[in-house]
PDB file of all heavy atoms in Angstrom:
ATOM      1  N   ASN A 138     139.548 141.420 167.566  1.00 98.00           N
ATOM      2  CA  ASN A 138     138.337 142.315 167.790  1.00 98.00           C
ATOM      3  C   ASN A 138     137.269 141.832 166.821  1.00 98.00           C
ATOM      4  O   ASN A 138     137.018 142.488 165.795  1.00 98.00           O
ATOM      5  CB  ASN A 138     138.685 143.780 167.720  1.00 98.00           C
ATOM      6  CG  ASN A 138     137.560 144.643 168.096  1.00 98.00           C
ATOM      7  OD1 ASN A 138     136.423 144.208 168.289  1.00 98.00           O
ATOM      8  ND2 ASN A 138     137.833 145.894 168.182  1.00 98.00           N
ATOM      9  N   ILE A 139     136.661 140.710 167.082  1.00 98.00           N
ATOM     10  CA  ILE A 139     135.854 139.991 166.095  1.00 98.00           C
ATOM     11  C   ILE A 139     134.501 140.726 165.738  1.00 98.00           C
ATOM     12  O   ILE A 139     134.014 140.510 164.661  1.00 98.00           O
ATOM     13  CB  ILE A 139     135.567 138.557 166.610  1.00 98.00           C
ATOM     14  CG1 ILE A 139     135.195 137.633 165.497  1.00 98.00           C
ATOM     15  CG2 ILE A 139     134.476 138.550 167.707  1.00 98.00           C
ATOM     16  CD1 ILE A 139     136.297 137.176 164.632  1.00 98.00           C
ATOM     17  N   GLY A 140     134.137 141.610 166.663  1.00 97.00           N
ATOM     18  CA  GLY A 140     132.838 142.338 166.343  1.00 97.00           C
ATOM     19  C   GLY A 140     133.164 143.756 165.933  1.00 97.00           C
ATOM     20  O   GLY A 140     132.227 144.587 165.759  1.00 97.00           O
ATOM     21  N   ASP A 141     134.439 144.073 165.655  1.00 96.00           N
ATOM     22  CA  ASP A 141     134.847 145.468 165.262  1.00 96.00           C
ATOM     23  C   ASP A 141     134.283 146.473 166.152  1.00 96.00           C
ATOM     24  O   ASP A 141     133.676 147.497 165.634  1.00 96.00           O
ATOM     25  CB  ASP A 141     134.407 145.648 163.779  1.00 96.00           C
ATOM     26  CG  ASP A 141     135.094 146.822 163.154  1.00 96.00           C
ATOM     27  OD1 ASP A 141     136.117 147.269 163.708  1.00 96.00           O
ATOM     28  OD2 ASP A 141     134.553 147.379 162.180  1.00 96.00           O
ATOM     29  N   GLU A 142     134.443 146.313 167.476  1.00 96.00           N
ATOM     30  CA  GLU A 142     133.907 147.252 168.425  1.00 96.00           C
ATOM     31  C   GLU A 142     134.907 148.248 168.868  1.00 96.00           C
ATOM     32  O   GLU A 142     136.128 147.953 169.042  1.00 96.00           O
ATOM     33  CB  GLU A 142     133.435 146.423 169.699  1.00 96.00           C
ATOM     34  CG  GLU A 142     132.331 145.482 169.445  1.00 96.00           C
ATOM     35  CD  GLU A 142     132.104 144.635 170.665  1.00 96.00           C
ATOM     36  OE1 GLU A 142     132.828 143.658 170.922  1.00 96.00           O
ATOM     37  OE2 GLU A 142     131.173 144.953 171.442  1.00 96.00           O
ATOM     38  N   ASP A 143     134.461 149.450 169.109  1.00 93.00           N
ATOM     39  CA  ASP A 143     135.307 150.498 169.752  1.00 93.00           C
ATOM     40  C   ASP A 143     135.646 149.989 171.135  1.00 93.00           C
ATOM     41  O   ASP A 143     134.867 149.359 171.815  1.00 93.00           O
ATOM     42  CB  ASP A 143     134.558 151.812 169.873  1.00 93.00           C
ATOM     43  CG  ASP A 143     134.281 152.440 168.476  1.00 93.00           C
ATOM     44  OD1 ASP A 143     134.940 152.044 167.496  1.00 93.00           O
ATOM     45  OD2 ASP A 143     133.367 153.281 168.393  1.00 93.00           O
ATOM     46  N   GLN A 144     136.809 150.370 171.641  1.00 86.00           N
ATOM     47  CA  GLN A 144     137.161 150.149 173.051  1.00 86.00           C
ATOM     48  C   GLN A 144     137.171 148.686 173.397  1.00 86.00           C
ATOM     49  O   GLN A 144     136.893 148.287 174.520  1.00 86.00           O
ATOM     50  CB  GLN A 144     136.162 150.824 173.988  1.00 86.00           C
ATOM     51  CG  GLN A 144     136.068 152.305 173.805  1.00 86.00           C
ATOM     52  CD  GLN A 144     135.215 152.971 174.851  1.00 86.00           C
ATOM     53  OE1 GLN A 144     134.472 152.308 175.579  1.00 86.00           O
ATOM     54  NE2 GLN A 144     135.356 154.228 174.976  1.00 86.00           N
ATOM     55  N   LYS A 145     137.370 147.844 172.470  1.00 89.00           N
ATOM     56  CA  LYS A 145     137.552 146.389 172.832  1.00 89.00           C
ATOM     57  C   LYS A 145     138.989 145.943 172.422  1.00 89.00           C
ATOM     58  O   LYS A 145     139.518 146.423 171.447  1.00 89.00           O
ATOM     59  CB  LYS A 145     136.554 145.589 172.042  1.00 89.00           C
ATOM     60  CG  LYS A 145     136.399 144.114 172.442  1.00 89.00           C
ATOM     61  CD  LYS A 145     135.104 143.935 173.151  1.00 89.00           C
ATOM     62  CE  LYS A 145     134.713 142.463 173.360  1.00 89.00           C
ATOM     63  NZ  LYS A 145     133.238 142.310 173.482  1.00 89.00           N
ATOM     64  N   GLY A 146     139.550 145.083 173.320  1.00 93.00           N
ATOM     65  CA  GLY A 146     140.869 144.572 173.010  1.00 93.00           C
ATOM     66  C   GLY A 146     140.810 143.746 171.746  1.00 93.00           C
ATOM     67  O   GLY A 146     139.781 143.302 171.303  1.00 93.00           O
ATOM     68  N   GLY A 147     142.025 143.471 171.174  1.00 98.00           N
ATOM     69  CA  GLY A 147     142.026 142.647 170.030  1.00 98.00           C
ATOM     70  C   GLY A 147     142.375 143.493 168.807  1.00 98.00           C
ATOM     71  O   GLY A 147     142.146 144.660 168.724  1.00 98.00           O
ATOM     72  N   CYS A 148     143.062 142.753 167.841  1.00 98.00           N
ATOM     73  CA  CYS A 148     143.400 143.417 166.601  1.00 98.00           C
ATOM     74  C   CYS A 148     142.319 143.425 165.643  1.00 98.00           C
ATOM     75  O   CYS A 148     141.344 142.658 165.775  1.00 98.00           O
ATOM     76  CB  CYS A 148     144.651 142.736 165.983  1.00 98.00           C
ATOM     77  SG  CYS A 148     144.311 141.055 165.369  1.00 98.00           S
ATOM     78  N   ALA A 149     142.357 144.302 164.634  1.00 98.00           N
ATOM     79  CA  ALA A 149     141.388 144.310 163.577  1.00 98.00           C
ATOM     80  C   ALA A 149     141.507 142.973 162.822  1.00 98.00           C
ATOM     81  O   ALA A 149     142.589 142.443 162.661  1.00 98.00           O
ATOM     82  CB  ALA A 149     141.616 145.426 162.698  1.00 98.00           C
ATOM     83  N   ILE A 150     140.311 142.519 162.259  1.00 98.00           N
ATOM     84  CA  ILE A 150     140.383 141.292 161.500  1.00 98.00           C
ATOM     85  C   ILE A 150     141.337 141.339 160.354  1.00 98.00           C
ATOM     86  O   ILE A 150     142.112 140.393 160.040  1.00 98.00           O
ATOM     87  CB  ILE A 150     138.920 140.971 160.940  1.00 98.00           C
ATOM     88  CG1 ILE A 150     138.030 140.569 162.117  1.00 98.00           C
ATOM     89  CG2 ILE A 150     138.945 139.969 159.870  1.00 98.00           C
ATOM     90  CD1 ILE A 150     136.585 140.437 161.777  1.00 98.00           C
ATOM     91  N   ALA A 151     141.424 142.547 159.738  1.00 98.00           N
ATOM     92  CA  ALA A 151     142.340 142.727 158.550  1.00 98.00           C
ATOM     93  C   ALA A 151     143.830 142.561 158.901  1.00 98.00           C
ATOM     94  O   ALA A 151     144.648 142.282 158.093  1.00 98.00           O
ATOM     95  CB  ALA A 151     142.120 144.091 157.865  1.00 98.00           C
ATOM     96  N   ASP A 152     144.094 142.771 160.211  1.00 98.00           N
ATOM     97  CA  ASP A 152     145.521 142.696 160.637  1.00 98.00           C
ATOM     98  C   ASP A 152     146.033 141.319 161.108  1.00 98.00           C
ATOM     99  O   ASP A 152     147.149 141.152 161.469  1.00 98.00           O
ATOM    100  CB  ASP A 152     145.725 143.704 161.821  1.00 98.00           C
ATOM    101  CG  ASP A 152     145.632 145.156 161.378  1.00 98.00           C
ATOM    102  OD1 ASP A 152     145.718 145.389 160.117  1.00 98.00           O
ATOM    103  OD2 ASP A 152     145.427 146.024 162.234  1.00 98.00           O
ATOM    104  N   VAL A 153     145.066 140.343 161.132  1.00 98.00           N
ATOM    105  CA  VAL A 153     145.457 138.979 161.595  1.00 98.00           C
ATOM    106  C   VAL A 153     146.586 138.412 160.847  1.00 98.00           C
ATOM    107  O   VAL A 153     147.569 137.922 161.482  1.00 98.00           O
ATOM    108  CB  VAL A 153     144.154 138.064 161.618  1.00 98.00           C
ATOM    109  CG1 VAL A 153     144.574 136.544 161.835  1.00 98.00           C
ATOM    110  CG2 VAL A 153     143.150 138.474 162.700  1.00 98.00           C
ATOM    111  N   PRO A 154     146.586 138.359 159.523  1.00 98.00           N
ATOM    112  CA  PRO A 154     147.709 137.730 158.807  1.00 98.00           C
ATOM    113  C   PRO A 154     149.041 138.370 159.141  1.00 98.00           C
ATOM    114  O   PRO A 154     149.963 137.633 159.413  1.00 98.00           O
ATOM    115  CB  PRO A 154     147.340 137.926 157.302  1.00 98.00           C
ATOM    116  CG  PRO A 154     145.808 138.132 157.288  1.00 98.00           C
ATOM    117  CD  PRO A 154     145.514 138.850 158.583  1.00 98.00           C
ATOM    118  N   ALA A 155     149.071 139.666 159.120  1.00 98.00           N
ATOM    119  CA  ALA A 155     150.419 140.366 159.411  1.00 98.00           C
ATOM    120  C   ALA A 155     150.898 140.142 160.862  1.00 98.00           C
ATOM    121  O   ALA A 155     152.107 139.905 161.064  1.00 98.00           O
ATOM    122  CB  ALA A 155     150.294 141.826 159.135  1.00 98.00           C
ATOM    123  N   LEU A 156     149.938 140.130 161.790  1.00 98.00           N
ATOM    124  CA  LEU A 156     150.390 139.945 163.207  1.00 98.00           C
ATOM    125  C   LEU A 156     150.794 138.506 163.435  1.00 98.00           C
ATOM    126  O   LEU A 156     151.713 138.250 164.150  1.00 98.00           O
ATOM    127  CB  LEU A 156     149.282 140.453 164.173  1.00 98.00           C
ATOM    128  CG  LEU A 156     149.151 141.968 164.223  1.00 98.00           C
ATOM    129  CD1 LEU A 156     147.989 142.334 165.157  1.00 98.00           C
ATOM    130  CD2 LEU A 156     150.422 142.626 164.684  1.00 98.00           C
ATOM    131  N   ALA A 157     149.984 137.521 162.892  1.00 98.00           N
ATOM    132  CA  ALA A 157     150.366 136.187 163.020  1.00 98.00           C
ATOM    133  C   ALA A 157     151.758 135.930 162.420  1.00 98.00           C
ATOM    134  O   ALA A 157     152.578 135.242 162.982  1.00 98.00           O
ATOM    135  CB  ALA A 157     149.325 135.289 162.346  1.00 98.00           C
ATOM    136  N   ALA A 158     152.016 136.592 161.286  1.00 98.00           N
ATOM    137  CA  ALA A 158     153.331 136.395 160.640  1.00 98.00           C
ATOM    138  C   ALA A 158     154.410 136.989 161.533  1.00 98.00           C
ATOM    139  O   ALA A 158     155.505 136.461 161.646  1.00 98.00           O
ATOM    140  CB  ALA A 158     153.320 137.111 159.283  1.00 98.00           C
ATOM    141  N   ALA A 159     154.164 138.151 162.128  1.00 98.00           N
ATOM    142  CA  ALA A 159     155.087 138.782 162.987  1.00 98.00           C
ATOM    143  C   ALA A 159     155.433 137.877 164.234  1.00 98.00           C
ATOM    144  O   ALA A 159     156.651 137.829 164.614  1.00 98.00           O
ATOM    145  CB  ALA A 159     154.588 140.161 163.522  1.00 98.00           C
ATOM    146  N   ILE A 160     154.449 137.237 164.786  1.00 98.00           N
ATOM    147  CA  ILE A 160     154.722 136.350 165.905  1.00 98.00           C
ATOM    148  C   ILE A 160     155.583 135.198 165.484  1.00 98.00           C
ATOM    149  O   ILE A 160     156.549 134.831 166.136  1.00 98.00           O
ATOM    150  CB  ILE A 160     153.382 135.883 166.513  1.00 98.00           C
ATOM    151  CG1 ILE A 160     152.528 137.054 167.104  1.00 98.00           C
ATOM    152  CG2 ILE A 160     153.576 134.782 167.566  1.00 98.00           C
ATOM    153  CD1 ILE A 160     151.043 136.740 167.380  1.00 98.00           C
ATOM    154  N   ARG A 161     155.243 134.655 164.341  1.00 96.00           N
ATOM    155  CA  ARG A 161     156.030 133.503 163.882  1.00 96.00           C
ATOM    156  C   ARG A 161     157.404 133.886 163.480  1.00 96.00           C
ATOM    157  O   ARG A 161     158.343 133.165 163.735  1.00 96.00           O
ATOM    158  CB  ARG A 161     155.303 132.915 162.665  1.00 96.00           C
ATOM    159  CG  ARG A 161     154.029 132.094 163.108  1.00 96.00           C
ATOM    160  CD  ARG A 161     153.255 131.795 161.904  1.00 96.00           C
ATOM    161  NE  ARG A 161     152.255 130.666 162.172  1.00 96.00           N
ATOM    162  CZ  ARG A 161     151.161 130.553 161.439  1.00 96.00           C
ATOM    163  NH1 ARG A 161     150.758 131.420 160.590  1.00 96.00           N
ATOM    164  NH2 ARG A 161     150.363 129.579 161.785  1.00 96.00           N
ATOM    165  N   ASP A 162     157.537 135.087 162.822  1.00 97.00           N
ATOM    166  CA  ASP A 162     158.873 135.523 162.414  1.00 97.00           C
ATOM    167  C   ASP A 162     159.793 135.715 163.606  1.00 97.00           C
ATOM    168  O   ASP A 162     161.052 135.543 163.460  1.00 97.00           O
ATOM    169  CB  ASP A 162     158.779 136.952 161.787  1.00 97.00           C
ATOM    170  CG  ASP A 162     158.222 136.821 160.375  1.00 97.00           C
ATOM    171  OD1 ASP A 162     158.128 135.729 159.841  1.00 97.00           O
ATOM    172  OD2 ASP A 162     157.900 137.906 159.802  1.00 97.00           O
ATOM    173  N   ARG A 163     159.277 135.986 164.762  1.00 97.00           N
ATOM    174  CA  ARG A 163     160.071 136.123 166.020  1.00 97.00           C
ATOM    175  C   ARG A 163     160.379 134.777 166.728  1.00 97.00           C
ATOM    176  O   ARG A 163     160.863 134.747 167.801  1.00 97.00           O
ATOM    177  CB  ARG A 163     159.481 137.155 166.935  1.00 97.00           C
ATOM    178  CG  ARG A 163     159.675 138.569 166.378  1.00 97.00           C
ATOM    179  CD  ARG A 163     158.571 139.532 166.979  1.00 97.00           C
ATOM    180  NE  ARG A 163     158.782 140.898 166.401  1.00 97.00           N
ATOM    181  CZ  ARG A 163     158.379 141.250 165.156  1.00 97.00           C
ATOM    182  NH1 ARG A 163     157.941 140.344 164.279  1.00 97.00           N
ATOM    183  NH2 ARG A 163     158.532 142.508 164.732  1.00 97.00           N
ATOM    184  N   GLY A 164     159.869 133.748 166.067  1.00 95.00           N
ATOM    185  CA  GLY A 164     160.093 132.376 166.612  1.00 95.00           C
ATOM    186  C   GLY A 164     159.229 132.132 167.881  1.00 95.00           C
ATOM    187  O   GLY A 164     159.598 131.233 168.632  1.00 95.00           O
ATOM    188  N   LEU A 165     158.136 132.829 168.038  1.00 97.00           N
ATOM    189  CA  LEU A 165     157.345 132.617 169.222  1.00 97.00           C
ATOM    190  C   LEU A 165     156.225 131.554 168.901  1.00 97.00           C
ATOM    191  O   LEU A 165     155.766 131.422 167.718  1.00 97.00           O
ATOM    192  CB  LEU A 165     156.667 133.934 169.649  1.00 97.00           C
ATOM    193  CG  LEU A 165     157.628 135.059 169.943  1.00 97.00           C
ATOM    194  CD1 LEU A 165     156.842 136.377 170.301  1.00 97.00           C
ATOM    195  CD2 LEU A 165     158.505 134.649 171.141  1.00 97.00           C
ATOM    196  N   PRO A 166     155.804 130.876 169.972  1.00 95.00           N
ATOM    197  CA  PRO A 166     154.798 129.740 169.742  1.00 95.00           C
ATOM    198  C   PRO A 166     153.381 130.315 169.655  1.00 95.00           C
ATOM    199  O   PRO A 166     152.757 130.515 170.722  1.00 95.00           O
ATOM    200  CB  PRO A 166     155.087 128.908 170.975  1.00 95.00           C
ATOM    201  CG  PRO A 166     155.488 129.794 172.067  1.00 95.00           C
ATOM    202  CD  PRO A 166     156.278 130.916 171.350  1.00 95.00           C
TER     203      PRO A 166
END
Side-chain angles (χ1 to χ4, degrees):
N138 184 353
I139 200 74
D141 194 20
E142 297 173 278
D143 293 341
Q144 306 186 340
K145 191 109 166 206
C148 68
I150 288 171
D152 292 342
V153 168
L156 289 176
I160 295 167
R161 288 168 159 151
D162 285 350
R163 286 156 182 75
L165 302 176

